[in-house]
Amino acid sequence: MNIKEASERLNIPKETLRYWENSGLIPEVPRNSSGYRDYTENEIKWALFIKAMRNAGMSVDSLIEFINLYNEHKSSREAQKSLVKEQYDILLAKRNELDKTLNYLSYKLDHFEDHVIPFLEEENYYELRKDKMLDDKSETK
């Protein structure tokens, strides 16, 4: 498939695909007889992986390191796993922070009619409510 088709399938700009290829994040894309890129399922799979890892916040430098480790083959599997685990832990911490914020906003919405900007009116508002607002186990409704 040509770069336009690959771009549409992956929902990423053509320029991003070119950049990923030029950076070595995806394998060099074969060319057809006219010299145009001709994406195979192999390059698409790599692009999907790179897209997922970029969406997870992994830097291009870390991805390049991962690709270099991959190219060293099985002796580097533990190092590859470590890079993915590190990004997983970072993303999990971000999700936990988002969950706390969602819990707080849910509480605010559930009790919106009960008060008018209480944090401006009550000096100790935060101290009185911090357990509810920041508890990882609070339920959201």
Side-chain angles (χ1 to χ4, degrees):
M1 84 185 63
N2 66 34
I3 194 167
K4 181 179 183 225
E5 294 166 331
S7 169
E8 290 171 355
R9 179 173 171 189
L10 296 163
N11 197 29
I12 55 176
K14 294 182 283 189
E15 296 77 16
T16 300
L17 284 171
R18 288 186 192 105
Y19 173 74
W20 288 354
E21 181 184 1
N22 293 335
S23 300
L25 294 175
I26 61 174
E28 188 174 333
V29 179
R31 306 287 177 138
N32 64 21
S33 59
S34 300
Y36 293 107
R37 287 174 174 85
D38 189 14
Y39 286 82
T40 68
E41 284 304 309
N42 183 53
E43 292 83 36
I44 296 296
K45 288 176 187 176
W46 272 105
L48 285 169
F49 172 74
I50 299 302
K51 180 180 177 181
M53 297 310 291
R54 291 293 294 142
N55 286 341
M58 186 177 266
S59 70
V60 170
D61 288 341
S62 292
L63 280 166
I64 288 171
E65 181 181 352
F66 180 91
I67 300 300
N68 288 338
L69 289 168
Y70 176 83
N71 290 333
E72 292 176 14
H73 300 292
K74 294 185 190 262
S75 63
S76 62
R77 297 289 288 167
E78 202 54 43
Q80 291 172 6
K81 183 178 179 181
S82 177
L83 283 171
V84 174
K85 176 76 168 95
E86 181 181 328
Q87 197 59 45
Y88 174 86
D89 291 343
I90 290 169
L91 204 55
L92 192 57
K94 286 181 182 179
R95 184 178 82 180
N96 288 338
E97 287 301 312
L98 282 172
D99 286 344
K100 288 178 187 178
T101 303
L102 286 169
N103 286 335
Y104 173 71
L105 291 176
S106 177
Y107 171 81
K108 296 298 287 177
L109 288 169
D110 288 347
H111 298 88
F112 198 78
E113 301 304 324
D114 300 343
H115 48 50
V116 180
I117 315 178
F119 58 87
L120 294 176
E121 297 172 3
E122 299 176 24
E123 196 169 308
N124 61 347
Y125 178 78
Y126 175 76
E127 288 302 318
L128 292 172
R129 292 166 179 83
K130 70 181 176 184
D131 290 337
K132 272 193 187 252
M133 295 186 306
L134 301 177
D135 184 9
D136 288 335
K137 296 176 178 89
S138 329
E139 289 184 29
T140 57
K141 294 183 181 180

